[in-house]
Amino acid sequence: MTEETKVTIDGEEYSFEGLAVETQANIARVNELRREVSALQIQVNERQALLQMYIQAISDSVKAVDDEEDEAVVQ
């Protein structure tokens, strides 16, 4: 005995197998696109973290040069 797959569309529950083939394909595509968007969002978040890391490294390197110049002037 197999359990019927249900989908909810606009608040109404439908049997997936009872839907038109085109509708089934559209549902599959929506699910695929949602997975892609989720994966892309993870990539965006990772890139933003890397971007901040590089920005911080640039800022730190400039401060280090400024600190060395200040020490050289004082001596």
Side-chain angles (χ1 to χ4, degrees), residues 1 6 11 13-15 22 24 28 31 43 50 56 60:
M1 183 162 66
K6 299 284 186 180
E13 195 172 84
Y14 298 89
S15 164
E22 182 180 358
Q24 292 178 9
N31 289 334
Q43 289 181 23
L50 281 169
Q56 188 63 50
D60 291 347

Side-chain angles (χ1 to χ4, degrees), residues 15-71:
S15 164
F16 181 80
E17 293 78 12
L19 297 171
V21 173
E22 182 180 358
T23 303
Q24 292 178 9
N26 288 339
I27 290 170
R29 184 64 179 140
V30 164
N31 289 334
E32 182 180 334
L33 289 168
R34 284 181 174 156
R35 283 189 297 274
E36 288 178 18
V37 166
S38 178
L40 288 169
Q41 188 60 54
I42 289 168
Q43 289 181 23
V44 166
N45 292 343
E46 290 172 344
R47 298 313 189 274
Q48 287 175 332
L50 281 169
L51 179 61
Q52 291 306 311
M53 182 189 73
Y54 282 111
I55 290 169
Q56 188 63 50
I58 291 167
S59 179
D60 291 347
S61 71
V62 172
K63 287 178 186 173
V65 170
D66 287 345
D67 291 344
E68 289 173 9
E69 289 175 355
D70 290 344
E71 288 177 16

